[in-house]
Structure formats: C-alpha cells, structure tokens
Amino acid sequence: MNKVVNGADEAIHDIENGMTLMLGGFGLCGLPENCISALVKKGVKELTCISNNAGVDDFGIGLMLKNHQVKKMISSYVGENAEFERQLLSGELEVELLPQGTLATRCMAAGYGMPAIFTPAGIGTEVAEGKEVRNFNGKDYLMEMAFDADFALVKAWKGDTMGNLIFKSTARNFNPVMAMAGKITIAEVEELVEPGQLDPDHIHTPGIYVHRIFQGSNYEKRIEQRTVRKIENDVR
Amino acid sequence: MMLDKQGIAKRIAKEIKDGYYVNLGIGIPTLVANYIPDDMDVVLQSENGLLGMGPFPFEGEEDADTINAGKQTITMLPGSATFDSAMSFGMIRAKKVNLTILGAMEVSENGDIANWKIPGKMVKGMGGAMDLVASAENIIVAMQHVNRAGESKLLPKCTLPLTGVSCVKKIVTEMAVLDVLPGGGFRLLERAPGVSVEEIKNVTAGKLIVEGDIPEMAI
C-alpha cells in the first residue's frame, strides 16, 4: 500500500487536457501549491477546476488562469483576481458560482457514494434555475448532484506513505472532502512519515481515499489579508 | 444622531445571548465581536472551518494556516475546534449556529435579502451567504438604511438578485432597529438617538409599521 510518488511532476503526469480537477484550499490557505506549479509547468489546458476560490493574480489557481489553462471554474467566490475578471468578461472563461456549503457537500456526496444531496441554499434564487426542488416537512430543498472529478489535488500537513492524512488548523477547509471525491486523489504533504508514526485516532482522511502522496517542498503559504493586533506596552 | 458602523455593531451585540454560537459576516458584522461583553460565553463560528475564533494575532505571530472566512489572519481560543467545509455548513444547515449576522444591499418587507450580485457589475460570488440565510433561524442584517444614491434599502420587493427568501428577522441600521413581521412589513422597534420616526419613514420604501411610542436605542 505504498502510495508515494517522486514529486508533483510524477503525481500529475497523467492529467490531460479537458479534465475536471478539484483543488483544495480556502482563499490562499491550504492550497496544493506544488501540484499547481507542476500543472503550470506541464501546460495542460481546457481544465474545469472545482475550487472554492480562484486564487489571486500571481498565486494559486491564478497562476493557471494566467497561463490560459482553465476553461471553467466552479467556485463560490472569485474576487481578488484581475486576470480572472478579464478572462470572464472576454468570454475566454466560464464560471459557475455555487453556494459554499453546496460546493462542499457536493464533494462530500461523491466521497460518500451518494448521487445527490438536498439543500435549502439557493431556493428562490437564480441558483435554483433548472434544478429539481423537493419539499420535505414543509420546506423546499434543491437537489444538487455529487461532483464527478477526474482528479482531486489536496494539501495536508502530515501524511504517511499509505496515504493517511492529517490537516492543520483552517488549512483543512475543502481538502478532506475533495480528497474523498476524486477518481484519483493526489495529496501533497508538508511532512511525509512512515506508517505507524501517525496516531490512527488523529487521522482526518484515511489512506483508502488517497492514490498518490508526496513530500511537498518550498511552501510559500502566502497570506491574503494580514491582520494583526498591536502589542501595547509590551503586555500581551 | 445617526450611528456610525461601530454604533451599529454595538447595538447588534446586545442581541447576542450567553451560550450562543454566532456566525459573523464580513464588514460591520465583524465589528460586533468587539462589543460582546467579557462575562458572556459566546463562540464565534467561521465558515471556513473553525469554532472559537479569537482576535487578530499579535504582529509576528500570524499563522498562514489560521484564517477566518474573510481570509484574515486570526487566532484560536482555548476550546477551539477546526473541521472541514462540509461539516461547517452541516452545522449551519442543522441550525446549530444560534445567530447569523450579515450585511445586505437590500431587504424586502417579507424578509427577502439581496447581498451578492449587482447586474452589470463583476460578480464575485455568494460565498457562504446563501447557505447561511437558507438555514439560519435567527438572522440579523447590519446595513446602512440607504444606498450611496440615497435610495432606501428597505423595500417592498428586492430589485437585485436574491440571496434568500423570507429569512431576515431583524435589521439594524444607522437610524433604526426594525423586525420583519411574519405577515410582512418592517416594524419599527427603536430609533437612533435624536432620529425621528418621520425621518425613518422618509427613507423606508417598504411598509413601515409604527405602533405607539418608539424608544431611542440604548447603546
């Protein structure tokens, strides 16, 4: 059950033009940075990317957008990205906006082997257009389908060679649900360890969901909104 | 005297009760955290996957892995818990979060809210707003009474694309506190200090219900 590959280039070698990818992360937090760099290098195009956000101009999925590799984004929020806006307005890029919980739960459904979910999010709005509505106990719910992604690219804090993953803090976000949802899931980790070094009770994503894992490197972990408190009179 | 943003936040903080789990949206709602009394046990939920959000970190202690839904660096408090995005919206959908405070561009007299899209402008997305308004039972809107053009944001019917329908329970603006009646209509509950009922009437396009004397807000 050794899932280890040599690095990002090997991990993504069979991602081809026109495929659908899930990319973990929230804003710039918990992004599969190494896989994104490798995709940019490989230059694979016409991709559909399912990811909560679209990065910024020079980081995250923004790098793939700049390289004209993305055909369609499926996201909940795509602000803070000028190139994204330019491509969208020029018609180069398609975007499907979904409520954030719907996005997460459509990933979850795929990982749990369920074809669809019912959520009240979007009822009475344009998100509901063309979708089936069902009433349960007097309340309307939208039927939303499980995602079908060729690859899921996720970033974890620690992982073992069998693919078991542990995430850190709010860098967890979409990563575990996407890890469960890819036909092939690639995990890059800050620290790759041997089986037995992770406490089984602390594992967030069991290795059965992970097909390839590698030790990542050179994490930039850029901060989008650096907000701090002043230290007053040296008292904390 | 109209309230400033801090004043609106301060007034909304009075709606928070001991033991509440609260989700604060971006903008004025974020400021509400500054006015929660110290002796009150309140846990802030951030929909990117955190319960127990603390204040901003001290300079030099920022952690890129620990952010809030506005992508700001934050801290965690003793007793904090992190979780994935599906669980985060699970607890919202299952109504475990007691109070949701968010901003709005328009609210209608039947409680519809519009806050994500302006036709003709670049649309950034709804983020978690549609999930929150569709599920939360207790939604307070923090907003200015009028838009930049001076037009009322409390309307008979929203003109902008909706975020959710019949969901807003209460509105706090720089001029007034109002609740949305189940049968429709904005019921005036409080006025900002020195603001008259007449002034509020003039900038409320939707049906305004004024019953008896309207007290001034105590902030």
Side-chain angles (χ1 to χ4, degrees):
Chain A
M1 285 298 159
N2 190 323
K3 312 270 177 83
V4 179
V5 293
N6 228 339
D9 292 333
E10 187 185 329
I12 63 129
H13 76 278
D14 50 352
I15 293 183
E16 291 165 10
N17 291 349
M19 282 187 166
T20 297
L21 313 181
M22 285 177 171
L23 295 104
F26 183 95
L28 306 181
C29 180
L31 290 179
E33 294 183 26
N34 288 197
C35 282
I36 290 172
S37 299
L39 285 167
V40 170
K41 201 165 100 188
K42 186 173 158 78
V44 57
K45 289 195 186 331
E46 299 284 301
L47 299 171
T48 295
C49 293
I50 302 167
S51 190
N52 191 52
N53 313 94
V56 293
D57 278 324
D58 57 348
F59 197 65
I61 295 175
L63 297 170
M64 293 162 66
L65 286 162
K66 205 153 74 178
N67 211 18
H68 304 279
Q69 294 176 270
V70 184
K71 182 184 70 178
K72 183 178 180 182
M73 280 300 311
I74 301 176
S75 302
S76 86
Y77 189 83
V78 292
E80 350 299 350
N81 193 323
E83 177 62 15
F84 181 97
E85 189 168 343
R86 194 199 61 73
Q87 289 186 22
L88 185 65
L89 295 175
S90 72
E92 282 170 70
L93 179 71
E94 213 184 311
V95 62
E96 182 180 349
L97 292 168
L98 291 170
Q100 196 176 133
T102 300
L103 191 77
T105 314
R106 287 177 66 180
C107 295
M108 191 203 77
Y112 277 82
M114 301 183 296
I117 57 142
F118 291 93
T119 175
I123 285 286
T125 77
E126 61 188 60
V127 167
E129 283 167 19
K131 292 175 184 166
E132 186 177 335
V133 176
R134 288 274 292 273
N135 189 286
F136 297 98
N137 303 319
K139 182 168 173 161
D140 283 341
Y141 294 81
L142 274 188
M143 185 165 82
E144 295 273 10
M145 308 307 288
F147 281 124
D148 185 13
D150 297 301
F151 282 84
L153 313 177
V154 303
K155 151 79 196 312
W157 178 40
K158 291 182 180 180
D160 67 20
T161 57
M162 294 179 72
N164 295 304
L165 304 177
I166 296 176
F167 301 90
K168 191 177 161 230
S169 194
T170 57
R172 190 179 326 181
N173 56 62
F174 282 81
N175 283 297
V177 280
M178 288 184 171
M180 295 168 69
K183 281 200 198 76
I184 296 177
T185 290
I186 299 170
E188 54 176 272
V189 297
E190 286 178 56
E191 192 183 344
L192 184 64
V193 300
E194 292 301 317
Q197 290 185 257
L198 301 178
D199 183 337
D201 288 332
H202 291 173
I203 285 166
H204 297 128
T205 299
I208 192 168
Y209 285 111
V210 177
H211 304 84
R212 302 170 193 170
I213 189 166
F214 66 93
Q215 167 75 59
S217 58
N218 301 318
Y219 283 107
E220 184 180 339
K221 292 201 185 184
R222 195 181 294 189
I223 292 174
E224 201 165 340
Q225 304 278 346
R226 188 179 297 276
T227 43
V228 294
R229 258 186 296 172
K230 283 269 179 316
I231 300 170
E232 281 165 33
N233 307 324
D234 259 354
V235 176
R236 299 192 170 188
Chain B
M1 186 194 70
M2 311 271 190
L3 302 182
D4 59 8
K5 286 178 179 180
Q6 300 288 345
I8 295 174
K10 218 165 159 178
R11 174 60 191 82
I12 290 178
K14 292 169 79 90
E15 302 289 323
I16 295 175
K17 294 192 173 74
D18 199 38
Y20 265 17
Y21 290 94
V22 181
N23 181 290
L24 301 176
I26 293 162
I28 300 173
T30 306
L31 302 174
V32 173
N34 299 331
Y35 300 104
I36 300 170
D38 286 340
D39 60 353
M40 215 180 247
D41 213 358
V42 172
V43 176
L44 300 180
Q45 198 247 20
S46 191
E47 66 265 25
N48 56 318
L50 171 64
L51 277 166
M53 179 167 54
F56 295 143
F58 289 112
E59 213 165 337
E61 293 179 0
E62 311 93 288
D63 172 10
D65 289 331
T66 306
I67 63 169
N68 63 16
K71 286 113 182 179
Q72 297 170 308
T73 45
I74 44 142
T75 56
M76 290 197 251
L77 297 171
S80 280
T82 54
F83 34 86
D84 66 60
S85 300
M87 184 180 281
S88 183
F89 285 94
M91 64 186 70
I92 288 164
R93 229 179 275 119
K95 306 183 196 304
K96 305 297 180 189
V97 176
N98 305 97
L99 175 63
T100 293
I101 302 168
L102 75 178
M105 298 171 187
E106 295 177 349
V107 177
S108 77
E109 63 189 31
N110 69 332
D112 294 353
I113 178 171
N115 71 353
W116 76 284
K117 182 175 183 177
I118 301 174
K121 285 204 177 166
M122 166 71 187
V123 182
K124 293 184 170 183
M126 65 291 279
M130 280 194 185
D131 307 271
L132 282 158
V133 301
S135 294
E137 285 181 319
N138 195 2
I139 298 174
I140 299 180
V141 164
M143 67 175 190
Q144 303 295 322
H145 216 99
V146 297
N147 64 20
R148 285 194 190 126
E151 299 154 346
S152 179
K153 293 168 72 172
L154 292 89
L155 304 171
K157 207 168 180 292
C158 292
T159 62
L160 295 169
L162 294 180
T163 308
V165 292
S166 305
C167 54
V168 176
K169 295 287 183 290
K170 198 172 253 189
I171 303 157
V172 179
T173 75
E174 77 281 21
M175 301 177 79
V177 179
L178 313 101
D179 64 358
V180 179
L181 295 179
F186 301 109
R187 180 170 59 180
L188 186 58
L189 299 175
E190 298 172 22
R191 334 171 253 121
V195 173
S196 69
V197 171
E198 207 51 38
E199 285 174 281
I200 295 164
K201 256 184 203 161
N202 289 341
V203 289
T204 306
K207 184 176 164 193
L208 184 72
I209 296 155
V210 183
E211 292 164 343
D213 282 343
I214 306 300
E216 283 192 358
M217 293 181 208
I219 315 174

